[in-house]
Amino acid sequence: MVQFVEAIPHLLLRIFAPVLGVCLVAWLIVLFIPFVRKQVRPVFSVSEGRGGRFPPVQWVVLFLVMVACTLFSGKNTNGVQNVGGGHLFQFSPPLVQIVSPQDVSNGWRVAEESGAEIFALPPAGAVTNENWRLRGAHDDAFRIPADGWSYPYTSGITVLSRGELRASIHSHDFPRPFDQDLSIVPYVNWPQLPEGRRESVFWYDATPSNTLLTTWWNAALGRDATNPVNFQAELFPDGGFTYRYEDRTVRHARRDPTPTAPTRNGTTPYAPTCWRRSQQVATLTGKGRAPARPLNSRGARTSTPTPTTLLTL
Amino acid sequence: MKRNLFVSLAAMGIAGGLALSAWALPPVHPVLPPVAYIDTETVTNVPVAAWQEHAGKFKFSLTCRTTATNNVQFAFGRDADDDGILSLEESDLVVGWDCGKWFLQGGYDAERIETAVGTGDGQTLAWTVRLSPRTAMPVSVTATVDGTPAFGGVDVGIFYSKNWNMFRLTGRGLADSAESPVVQILPDSLTILMR
């Protein structure tokens, strides 16, 4: 309901802006082009001749044309649409997520560091990929078996050091979290990271609620030492997933008023169909889908389309 | 004089023919480019010609610096999308050294088989796959690390495919180019033509 109320201004703008635009253009044409004005005047003066009580057929047709233009304006047919500068993503089973650049710049930036427990160091019991910490990784992968957590369609998740998750190395089940690759910085190069962000690791943990937390901690976005980010993905037993972003380098972003009830580790609760913000992190939720038929061992490529990149930093 | 010249040319021809037949598929000597990123990962992809159907053996060896903080791995596969890069998805077999252990994987999804044989910071992993002359399928494999048997009991089918057309060498945690690994791949076949 809240989402519907929030969407009303957008709907109004979407309906009336094109109507006003078409009316303005038509009026200018009639006003400034003598030939058109000469042709149109007798048509629209019919009603005046008959007393002006009822709109003539021409007015009704013009109105219907404008309504039609309004309804069909801006629609794409490829399943990915632009709405308010954001992107609509269609997953299977059908579920739509919206992330706009405005959301990114205003919503998920961290207003303050306090309370950002979600991106604290790995909790007790978490498993750190020691090899990635020791020698670094950009284009590497390993598989986490479903032990202590569960996710439909698969008995494990393949984690790519560049920031992706896949049910299978051959399928793109989850959207890419960034438009650039992440990489884990080996400890010998931690001094090149900004002060205070000199521990670059990947860790994962199975939670008591049977979910899987995977976290890229101080990972280099775009393989750039000056651009470390924290990113976390959580997979839920019902097939949902949540992406969480944190950026402590921006300290003056606005505080989002949307309250969220914290759960374990202070994380934002899972919201199956909406895009929710908190004061500390931004989350993106969605539903995974059954993995595509994997490649055979000799190279037949799956035709599963790659989901479009979501966020641009 | 003419006779000596003829004998010399014939000898050179025979030697050259033998060499060419044994090395019909050029040996692969990939070289890693310098490290350019903070994650230290450096990669080179090597396209290879089609394999010989009648190759009797397939030999592979990888010599590299082996420390507790470096990784050198070699992937075999088919570049299905012809982009000149052997991606993770296209890799059928990954083998190498990773922070203290030699490993073998039948693709990035597969379980990693590790072995801790070998000591020292410079070791050589080598194997020889004997192929069926009729089907070019692997029949048996002998793998060693510095001469010590390794990876016993592994399915021989993952060690060779005639469909492979791209290799990928990856290095991580390497201090400088002096640590660049040496890779040798050789289809071992000899064809003698008699007239």
Side-chain angles (χ1 to χ4, degrees):
Chain A
M1 184 62 187
V2 173
Q3 294 174 63
F4 178 75
V5 172
E6 289 177 348
I8 287 178
H10 298 284
L11 289 173
L12 293 176
L13 189 65
R14 184 177 173 81
I15 291 173
F16 287 110
V19 172
L20 291 174
V22 171
C23 290
L24 181 61
V25 171
W27 178 71
L28 290 174
I29 290 174
V30 172
L31 188 64
F32 292 105
I33 303 180
F35 174 76
V36 175
R37 188 171 56 193
K38 185 178 178 182
Q39 299 298 320
V40 168
R41 181 176 291 169
V43 175
F44 290 102
S45 63
V46 172
S47 60
E48 296 174 1
R50 293 179 180 174
R53 296 295 181 188
F54 301 98
V57 176
Q58 290 85 347
W59 279 111
V60 174
V61 171
L62 180 60
F63 177 76
L64 292 177
V65 168
M66 288 193 295
V67 170
C69 290
T70 302
L71 292 178
F72 292 103
S73 62
K75 281 196 174 181
N76 298 326
T77 57
N78 58 2
V80 179
Q81 306 169 20
N82 292 323
V83 177
H87 302 285
L88 270 169
F89 293 93
Q90 188 79 36
F91 291 96
S92 178
L95 187 65
V96 174
Q97 306 300 329
I98 301 173
V99 180
S100 71
Q102 200 68 22
D103 287 330
V104 174
S105 60
N106 292 336
W108 67 270
R109 299 288 190 180
V110 174
E112 55 190 7
E113 294 188 36
S114 61
E117 298 89 354
I118 176 179
F119 286 118
L121 286 172
V127 180
T128 300
N129 188 314
E130 284 299 314
N131 285 2
W132 288 2
R133 186 181 70 85
L134 289 171
R135 42 77 164 174
H138 164 245
D139 200 10
D140 199 6
F142 78 105
R143 189 159 179 83
I144 304 174
D147 182 14
W149 60 276
S150 66
Y151 192 76
Y153 321 125
T154 183
S155 60
I157 289 291
T158 299
V159 179
L160 280 67
S161 53
R162 57 178 183 243
E164 295 181 40
L165 291 171
R166 297 183 185 179
S168 158
I169 193 73
H170 301 296
S171 63
H172 298 267
D173 311 281
F174 303 93
R176 290 181 62 196
F178 301 96
D179 67 339
Q180 301 174 68
D181 287 347
L182 298 178
S183 63
I184 302 297
V185 180
Y187 75 97
V188 293
N189 283 341
W190 287 356
Q192 297 182 40
L193 290 167
E195 191 174 354
R197 310 210 62 164
R198 290 177 177 172
E199 192 159 357
S200 179
V201 295
F202 170 86
W203 59 265
Y204 66 93
D205 189 24
T207 71
S209 55
N210 213 28
T211 69
L212 175 68
L213 285 173
T214 58
T215 304
W216 286 255
W217 170 257
N218 290 336
L221 180 65
R223 309 179 75 180
D224 182 358
T226 64
N227 207 7
V229 297
N230 290 337
F231 167 66
Q232 184 178 76
E234 184 169 10
L235 307 185
F236 295 83
D238 67 352
F241 61 85
T242 296
Y243 285 0
R244 300 188 182 92
Y245 302 82
E246 184 250 19
D247 185 350
R248 291 189 297 181
T249 61
V250 179
R251 299 176 183 274
H252 304 293
R254 70 180 174 87
R255 178 191 292 262
D256 191 288
T258 307
T260 55
T263 61
R264 182 178 182 267
N265 295 333
T267 61
T268 304
Y270 171 56
T273 58
C274 71
W275 153 232
R276 186 176 292 187
R277 301 168 186 156
S278 74
Q279 293 179 5
Q280 293 83 29
V281 298
T283 65
L284 170 66
T285 63
K287 282 275 188 180
R289 61 186 175 193
R293 186 168 56 89
L295 288 178
N296 62 37
S297 62
R298 296 296 176 255
R301 177 168 285 278
T302 176
S303 60
T304 303
T306 304
T308 312
T309 299
L310 290 180
L311 297 179
T312 302
L313 297 183
Chain B
M1 188 67 181
K2 283 185 177 180
R3 185 177 178 182
N4 290 340
L5 180 61
F6 177 78
V7 170
S8 299
L9 288 175
M12 289 174 62
I14 292 172
L18 290 175
L20 282 175
S21 62
W23 292 72
L25 185 69
V28 178
H29 295 296
V31 177
L32 285 174
V35 173
Y37 294 98
I38 192 172
D39 52 53
T40 73
E41 183 171 305
T42 174
V43 175
T44 186
N45 291 272
V46 183
V48 292
W51 297 100
Q52 290 179 302
E53 292 281 345
H54 56 278
K57 292 178 182 177
F58 172 64
K59 293 181 177 179
F60 167 81
S61 69
L62 168 63
T63 302
C64 63
R65 184 128 190 254
T66 50
T67 73
T69 59
N70 79 337
N71 167 222
V72 176
Q73 62 185 45
F74 201 80
F76 303 81
R78 181 168 189 81
D79 182 20
D81 56 7
D82 290 326
D83 64 351
I85 296 172
L86 188 68
S87 64
L88 299 182
E89 300 91 330
E90 294 167 336
S91 301
D92 285 341
L93 173 63
V94 187
V95 61
W97 171 267
D98 197 1
C99 298
K101 291 180 180 177
W102 289 99
F103 72 94
L104 190 71
Q105 271 182 296
Y108 278 94
D109 272 309
E111 184 180 359
R112 180 177 278 198
I113 302 166
E114 295 180 332
T115 182
V117 299
T119 57
D121 66 356
Q123 301 177 30
T124 299
L125 169 68
W127 70 60
T128 300
V129 184
R130 191 164 63 85
L131 304 173
S132 165
R134 187 171 57 85
T135 63
M137 296 292 288
V139 175
S140 64
V141 61
T142 303
T144 61
V145 173
D146 282 349
T148 304
F151 299 120
V154 178
D155 175 22
V156 298
I158 69 171
F159 283 92
Y160 175 84
S161 170
K162 62 182 179 183
N163 292 324
W164 290 341
N165 67 357
M166 184 75 74
F167 302 148
R168 171 182 165 124
L169 177 62
T170 303
R172 303 182 182 100
L174 303 176
D176 52 47
S177 58
E179 295 187 21
S180 188
V182 177
V183 181
Q184 287 188 322
I185 298 173
L186 180 65
D188 184 11
S189 65
L190 178 62
T191 304
I192 300 176
L193 298 176
M194 299 183 67
R195 293 183 177 179

